[in-house]
Amino acid sequence: VDLFERTCPEPVYLVPGEKMVISEPGLIPADDGVHLVELTAFPSLSRFGDQIYLLSAGGITADSLSYFPEWGGNRDGVSLERVDPDGASGDPANWSEHPESHSAGQRNHHFNDTPLPVALDFAVKVDDRDILLHFSRFVSVESFNSVALDGRPLSLLPLDTTLNLEMPSYGSVFRFRSSNPIERRHARTTISSVRDFAGRAGRNLEAPLVFVPEPGDVIINEVMYQPVSDRYGNRPDQSEYVEVLNRSDLHLSMEQLFLHDQPDKNNDVQKLMPEETALLSLAPGEYFVFHADTSVDFHNTRIYQAFAQANPEADRFVRIDRLTLGLSTQGDRLYISTGNRRILDSLWFDPGWHNPNLPDVRGISLERIDRHFSTQDRTNWTSSASPQGGTPGTSNSVTVRALKVSEHGLSLGPNPFSPNGNGMDDHLVIQYQLDDPDYLMHVRIFDRQGRIVRTLADGDHAGRSGTLIWDGRTDRGLMNRTGLYIIHFEAYNYSANRKKTFREIAVLAVPL
């Protein structure tokens, strides 16, 4: 205040829409349409976050701002801009980084005084009865109308019930409580209406209830461990990536999800933490891609440049700020865990899982064949058949179709199948159904002369149902000839002296 008064002793009057710029000397040229106040000793503002107050002559706070580096504007020569003049000053959603430099004295680059109606971005279950609701911008706590979960009313709570803190008048995150325990099943949160800081109404808001993932909900679905990186080649440089898939029937929170390597003898791991996953969720069947890159702008990342299917508008690609994920080309162990080190899925991949007919697997990812089959089974992985070398963020090129299994017995598909590596019907999926979980199974494949060409299971625990995958090769890794093959399935329950035998014919073909 003293610095400003010494520099500009006369009062400054601003008419509606006029701007005043207080800066170091030389930031912008003098302009008749802008009041410019230059300070030779401009106060230092930290790029790690700071507080700014706008005070009246009597010391009354007219406005204030506490900003943080994650809001943006913490790079040299780049400003942080307010978006909506009527929006809340303390709302992170009301600030955005200038794409190149600054707009001091001019209309803000991201100026928008007619934003879309406020939205309910996220509704996540945090314990047996409580839900956190995340809104697209600050809303009034007094304006909530008819908040419910599947029609059951929810009551508003302080954010920290242990401290019994007073609820703020405005905010973007609020905690609500259900009168009944919340079941782990699909549910929707609804709000009849709510108003933002500027008084604009948002009506009929809704969002699916999001759950913390359990082991097996999120699985490793694709791995690019040997990307192409050749500035003299014809293909764009790729990046290492690991794609995961939500195979559950629930919406899942990706908050604090991270990659890590095999724990050492002290149970320590090397964490690969993404830049931001706090407000990301995966719908059933959606994909989530960890990729390594030093570029902040997604359009400039190698995964965007190399893969045409990478959607620039999607938030399913999360960056790990480094040049590489450090995956070994000789095989490696991967883990997907949550913030509390709870392992959701793991994979120990091997280069030998690639299609043996490929002379060079650089720039080709390993893709999972069946989402319901074991992650660690080598027969459930093969080389991507995509022309780009991988399918990050979209369906795998080698995905098989689900089969309908009879009450007891085998189902084969696709049948005929053609294992030529083009991504179409490359693998025979064998699904079985038994009447008891205590069987051991022996599964062999015979050619039409009765010779064993492949053993898929030899005394393995069968369970009540399961899946086996045949790539058309012999036990020595050689491709079989086209023709008819007999799938011979035997299951033994020695304690009950029971035996089940099933036979089906598979056709190994060549597409016309």
Side-chain angles (χ1 to χ4, degrees):
V1 176
D2 290 342
L3 287 172
F4 177 79
E5 288 176 347
R6 285 200 301 267
T7 307
C8 185
E10 299 296 327
V12 176
Y13 298 97
L14 299 179
V15 300
E18 273 192 318
K19 302 179 179 67
M20 180 172 67
V21 177
I22 307 171
S23 72
E24 295 176 337
L27 176 67
I28 62 172
D31 191 307
D32 291 340
V34 178
H35 295 278
L36 177 62
V37 177
E38 295 184 328
L39 303 182
T40 55
F42 192 86
S44 177
L45 298 175
S46 173
R47 69 170 61 203
F48 301 108
D50 215 329
Q51 294 180 322
I52 304 172
Y53 293 87
L54 184 63
L55 305 178
S56 68
I60 300 174
T61 301
D63 198 10
S64 64
L65 173 66
S66 296
Y67 67 89
F68 300 91
E70 55 265 28
W71 293 14
N74 58 338
R75 296 183 291 134
D76 290 346
V78 174
S79 70
L80 183 63
E81 295 185 343
R82 190 186 192 110
V83 177
D84 180 9
D86 295 323
S89 296
D91 187 353
N94 200 30
W95 294 86
S96 187
E97 179 179 279
H98 193 285
E100 297 177 352
S101 56
H102 66 84
S103 54
Q106 304 172 1
R107 182 187 178 97
N108 285 358
H109 180 85
H110 297 285
F111 177 86
N112 182 10
D113 61 354
T114 56
L116 293 172
V118 63
L120 175 59
D121 286 339
F122 210 67
V124 59
K125 177 179 179 289
V126 292
D127 59 29
D128 288 344
R129 295 177 183 268
D130 290 4
I131 299 172
L132 280 183
L133 301 186
H134 297 252
F135 295 88
S136 57
R137 57 179 179 270
F138 276 16
V139 297
S140 166
V141 68
E142 298 177 352
S143 67
F144 286 118
N145 184 18
S146 299
V147 183
L149 178 67
D150 278 355
R152 299 191 305 272
L154 299 174
S155 56
L156 182 64
L157 295 177
L159 282 177
D160 193 330
T161 55
T162 60
L163 298 178
N164 197 26
L165 297 177
E166 182 179 352
M167 178 60 63
S169 298
Y170 296 92
S172 59
V173 181
F174 295 92
R175 188 173 187 134
F176 283 81
R177 174 161 292 175
S178 169
S179 58
N180 300 314
I182 301 172
E183 299 178 8
R184 199 171 192 270
R185 61 175 179 82
H186 178 74
R188 296 196 72 81
T189 305
T190 57
I191 304 174
S192 294
S193 65
V194 69
R195 293 186 177 275
D196 67 7
F197 182 84
R200 308 180 187 98
R203 305 185 188 280
N204 301 321
L205 283 65
E206 64 175 65
L209 186 58
V210 175
F211 295 85
V212 175
E214 301 283 345
D217 286 345
V218 175
I219 58 171
I220 300 172
N221 196 57
E222 184 177 352
V223 180
M224 174 67 81
Y225 66 87
Q226 193 174 12
V228 169
S229 183
D230 181 7
R231 66 181 188 177
Y232 300 108
N234 296 324
R235 299 170 62 184
D237 287 354
Q238 302 167 332
S239 63
E240 291 183 8
Y241 65 81
V242 176
E243 178 192 77
V244 301
L245 166 69
N246 177 6
R247 72 172 177 187
S248 76
D249 58 358
L250 300 172
H251 286 73
L252 301 177
S253 170
M254 296 295 100
E255 185 174 8
Q256 298 184 2
L257 203 71
F258 66 94
L259 291 169
H260 66 88
D261 60 1
Q262 187 172 6
D264 60 20
K265 62 182 180 181
N266 298 319
N267 201 34
D268 293 327
V269 299
Q270 180 188 15
K271 288 186 177 182
L272 298 178
M273 301 295 295
E275 287 290 289
E276 182 61 52
T277 59
L279 293 182
L280 292 182
S281 66
L282 281 189
E286 281 190 333
Y287 304 91
F288 188 75
V289 182
F290 297 92
H291 67 101
D293 211 294
T294 55
S295 176
V296 177
D297 183 1
F298 181 66
H299 291 77
N300 293 326
T301 60
R302 288 166 294 170
I303 200 166
Y304 175 78
Q305 299 291 337
F307 299 99
Q309 65 269 30
N311 185 352
E313 304 302 327
D315 55 3
R316 307 306 172 200
F317 294 81
V318 292
R319 185 177 67 94
I320 294 175
D321 190 12
R322 48 188 292 173
L323 291 174
T324 175
L325 297 179
L327 303 178
S328 172
T329 59
Q330 305 304 311
D332 215 337
R333 192 75 178 257
L334 276 172
Y335 294 81
I336 302 289
S337 295
T338 56
N340 57 1
R341 284 281 300 278
R342 190 178 192 187
I343 296 174
L344 303 179
D345 197 19
S346 65
L347 170 69
W348 198 334
F349 67 85
D350 188 284
W353 295 1
H354 273 291
N355 186 336
N357 292 318
L358 295 177
D360 187 357
V361 297
R362 289 177 297 177
I364 298 177
S365 70
L366 279 173
E367 291 186 353
R368 188 186 191 113
I369 298 171
D370 189 334
R371 67 177 62 183
H372 302 293
F373 198 33
S374 169
T375 298
Q376 195 50 49
D377 194 306
R378 63 173 297 152
T379 65
N380 199 27
W381 294 85
T382 191
S383 306
S384 173
S386 168
Q388 288 85 24
T391 55
T394 61
S395 299
N396 287 354
S397 61
V398 297
T399 300
V400 297
R401 297 185 295 271
L403 304 177
K404 292 184 178 179
V405 185
S406 59
E407 183 177 356
H408 298 132
L410 299 180
S411 290
L412 309 182
N415 195 13
F417 75 112
S418 54
N420 59 354
N422 68 347
M424 297 286 292
D425 300 336
D426 280 337
H427 300 81
L428 179 71
V429 177
I430 306 165
Q431 293 187 347
Y432 61 87
Q433 184 79 29
L434 300 170
D435 59 357
D436 189 275
D438 296 329
Y439 285 96
L440 300 179
M441 62 181 175
H442 302 265
V443 184
R444 298 177 178 87
I445 301 175
F446 297 84
D447 63 15
R448 60 190 308 168
Q449 281 77 39
R451 296 170 297 196
I452 296 178
V453 298
R454 184 70 177 268
T455 299
L456 295 180
D458 191 15
D460 298 345
H461 178 63
R464 192 178 296 275
S465 62
T467 302
L468 300 167
I469 298 175
W470 184 36
D471 59 2
R473 298 183 180 278
T474 68
D475 285 326
R476 296 171 56 192
L478 303 176
M479 182 58 66
N480 283 288
R481 298 178 179 179
T482 58
L484 302 179
Y485 291 85
I486 301 170
I487 312 300
H488 185 79
F489 184 101
E490 292 181 325
Y492 298 90
N493 185 337
Y494 293 102
S495 62
N497 195 26
R498 299 167 67 183
K499 175 182 177 180
K500 296 287 184 180
T501 302
F502 307 112
R503 295 183 184 88
E504 293 288 345
I505 300 297
V507 179
L508 193 158
V510 175
L512 298 178

